[in-house]
Amino acid sequence: MTTTLDTEHFKQRLLEEQRRVKEALDYIHEENRGQLEDDREEIPSDNHPGDMATVTFDRELDYTLEENEGRLLQAIDAALKRIDDGTYGNCVNCGQPVGAERLEALPWTTQCIGCKRKEERG
């Protein structure tokens, strides 16, 4: 028995997640806007290695978060495109249905659980 995937439900989930990710990116950008100036003001003139390490760590963490959110936004945009072109919910590797439960957990996923497991095993 074949069940029809409620693409409208997943489209709404993806659009909500897209808004959340864009807000997160906007927040990161806003926080970083004056960060370099703030960092320069906060670091004492003796440039203590511990202070420099903290600033460097914070900056790298922000870049990593931004990169991760950017990748997620790309995956969401691609999933929305798949909804529009009628391929959403099909595994890009084997063509089988991804499964509603998996899509509920990761609405931007492109692979069924079997193909994802094979990929992770190498």
Side-chain angles (χ1 to χ4, degrees):
M1 180 171 121
T2 309
T3 58
T4 305
L5 196 61
D6 183 1
T7 54
E8 189 57 35
H9 164 75
F10 290 107
K11 184 174 186 173
Q12 291 310 311
R13 293 250 348 263
L14 287 161
L15 289 171
E16 287 171 21
E17 189 66 15
Q18 183 184 56
R19 277 190 294 278
R20 187 203 63 77
V21 170
K22 285 180 178 179
E23 286 174 9
L25 284 169
D26 288 346
Y27 178 79
I28 290 170
H29 293 148
E30 188 63 35
E31 283 293 305
N32 286 331
R33 182 166 299 180
Q35 193 63 42
L36 286 176
E37 290 79 16
D38 291 347
D39 290 348
R40 286 189 200 115
E41 291 172 14
E42 288 177 15
I43 298 174
S45 59
D46 64 358
N47 289 332
H48 188 275
D51 294 332
M52 292 299 294
T54 299
V55 168
T56 301
F57 174 79
D58 289 345
R59 197 172 295 140
E60 287 179 6
L61 180 61
D62 286 343
Y63 290 145
T64 300
L65 291 172
E66 182 178 21
E67 189 176 295
N68 289 343
E69 292 296 308
R71 276 198 297 266
L72 180 54
L73 190 57
Q74 289 175 342
I76 290 168
D77 291 343
L80 289 167
K81 184 179 180 321
R82 288 192 306 278
I83 287 175
D84 290 341
D85 68 22
T87 61
Y88 183 79
N90 296 324
C91 179
V92 296
N93 292 348
C94 69
Q96 295 298 309
V98 171
E101 288 177 0
R102 180 157 168 76
L103 290 169
E104 205 54 60
L106 299 166
W108 51 84
T109 193
T110 61
Q111 296 176 306
C112 67
I113 193 69
C115 288
K116 184 64 178 173
R117 285 181 179 148
K118 285 179 195 170
E119 177 186 278
E120 288 175 352
R121 281 188 230 129

